[in-house]
Amino acid sequence: MSPNKTTAFLQREWIPLLIYAATFFTFLPILHWLTGRTLAEEQLRHAFVVLGMAGVFLVVDQRISLRLNWDFGAPAVGLLAAAYAGAVLTWITGWAFVAFPSLILALASFLLYLLGRSMARVVGAFLGAFGAYTALAIFLPALDWPLRGVAAQGSGWFLGLLGKEIDLRLLSNEDGPQLLLFANDQPFLVAPECNGFGVLTASLLLSMLLVLYRPLPLVDKALLVFTAGICGILFNFIRIVIIVVLAPVVGLDNYYLMHEIVGTITYYSCLVFIWWLIQGFRIPTRATKDLKVA
């Protein structure tokens, strides 16, 4: 941008830029908390990276043209006003949960300002998935033990089908309670990293990004997101089953390497499967619906 164009741009856009700068500082405490939460939890970091990579790939795959429009029109202004209304409500009532949707509204306003109202569907898809990510970051501590229980019981059931003698035990020591899965008397610790939250979160975020972008009926969107969540849980079962089966084969010296390899393969296999499933989902046309099976 030439100096003359830069000057003209700043003369025209200095008020919106000033407003969004103030908005950034208004919501900075929430952004700081969310950033710290993400950096502190490996599962959230992986899910956030997956969300970013999936977003970039979606833009490239769908040949979405992103251009700066600087559109401070009614949609951007309306969303920003709603965001500030939520911030004021949070300040008056102390209801922290109101601050998070307000942040999403502020981000939506800023993205519409940058990209223009024609990109509303893209912005909605990204921020819908980001909103789900925020909710999952809030509820991670509460979901840890329920997910650990589901992971242990589900994988134990599959291992039982393979002829393994399974026993689940909850032990307590100075570090707190521990859940152990015994397969033929060989113990496996079901740690927080084994609860499947990472693959479940990535599966839900990826599915929401894809279904919110695609023009599908609401029921189909909900069913696809639900299916993605089930896939995340099942792939975590598969990961645990493979690790337990391979543990006696690879031995203790190679156990942790095998653990990481199996975890990485099953994690990304799940995401590739969900991408394939949702991108291949088609709404039957009227002509297709009228066909009769011979």
Side-chain angles (χ1 to χ4, degrees):
M1 189 180 290
S2 65
N4 290 337
K5 289 184 178 180
T6 301
T7 302
F9 170 78
L10 291 175
Q11 288 174 346
R12 185 180 74 250
E13 299 294 336
W14 72 270
I15 294 179
L17 290 174
L18 183 62
I19 291 173
Y20 283 117
T23 303
F24 171 77
F25 286 104
T26 299
F27 289 97
L28 185 58
I30 309 172
L31 290 170
H32 177 74
W33 178 89
L34 192 58
T35 302
R37 197 91 176 90
T38 301
L39 295 176
E41 298 289 345
E42 183 180 9
Q43 294 166 314
L44 288 174
R45 290 200 303 272
H46 287 170
F48 189 80
V49 170
V50 166
L51 178 60
M53 292 174 59
V56 171
F57 193 80
L58 178 65
V59 169
V60 174
D61 183 58
Q62 299 295 318
R63 295 179 174 84
I64 300 171
S65 178
L66 300 179
R67 294 188 301 273
L68 296 178
N69 281 280
W70 314 107
D71 183 7
F72 197 59
V77 173
L79 288 169
L80 191 60
Y84 271 104
V88 171
L89 182 62
T90 302
W91 179 71
I92 293 174
T93 62
W95 296 342
F97 65 88
V98 179
F100 292 97
S102 301
L103 171 65
I104 304 300
L105 291 173
L107 289 173
S109 172
F110 181 63
L111 289 176
L112 285 181
Y113 165 66
L114 289 181
L115 303 176
R117 65 194 74 188
S118 63
M119 291 288 106
R121 190 152 61 97
V122 177
V123 171
F126 274 92
L127 291 181
F130 181 74
Y133 172 82
T134 302
L136 290 167
I138 295 171
F139 292 110
L140 172 58
L143 293 173
D144 176 30
W145 273 103
L147 286 176
R148 275 201 252 184
V150 170
Q153 292 176 355
S155 57
W157 183 80
F158 279 108
L159 287 166
L161 294 179
L162 297 176
K164 300 283 187 181
E165 186 176 339
I166 300 300
D167 184 25
L168 296 178
R169 300 178 193 175
L170 185 63
L171 304 179
S172 181
N173 57 27
E174 63 274 8
D175 296 326
Q178 292 184 332
L179 180 60
L180 296 177
L181 184 151
F182 287 82
N184 293 347
D185 292 328
Q186 184 176 9
F188 294 87
L189 175 64
V190 184
E193 296 78 14
C194 303
N195 62 13
F197 183 85
V199 67
L200 174 62
T201 301
S203 299
L204 291 174
L205 296 182
L206 176 61
S207 63
M208 288 196 68
L209 177 65
L210 295 177
V211 302
L212 288 175
Y213 175 75
R214 296 192 59 193
L216 299 171
L218 183 60
V219 173
D220 290 340
K221 291 177 186 284
L223 287 175
L224 286 171
V225 172
F226 177 77
T227 301
I230 296 298
C231 287
I233 294 173
L234 288 176
F235 270 83
N236 190 50
F237 292 169
I238 293 170
R239 181 188 67 84
I240 296 175
V241 168
I242 294 174
I243 288 172
V244 171
V245 170
L246 291 182
V249 178
V250 302
L252 185 60
D253 291 340
N254 299 310
Y255 173 79
Y256 291 103
L257 176 60
M258 178 272 292
H259 183 282
E260 294 302 312
I261 292 174
V262 170
T264 301
I265 292 174
T266 53
Y267 184 91
Y268 288 103
S269 295
C270 179
L271 299 182
V272 169
F273 175 76
I274 290 171
W275 184 282
W276 170 82
L277 177 68
I278 296 178
Q279 290 294 81
F281 186 82
R282 294 289 181 268
I283 304 173
T285 62
R286 182 177 297 276
T288 305
K289 292 178 182 177
D290 292 339
L291 290 176
K292 300 295 188 294
V293 179

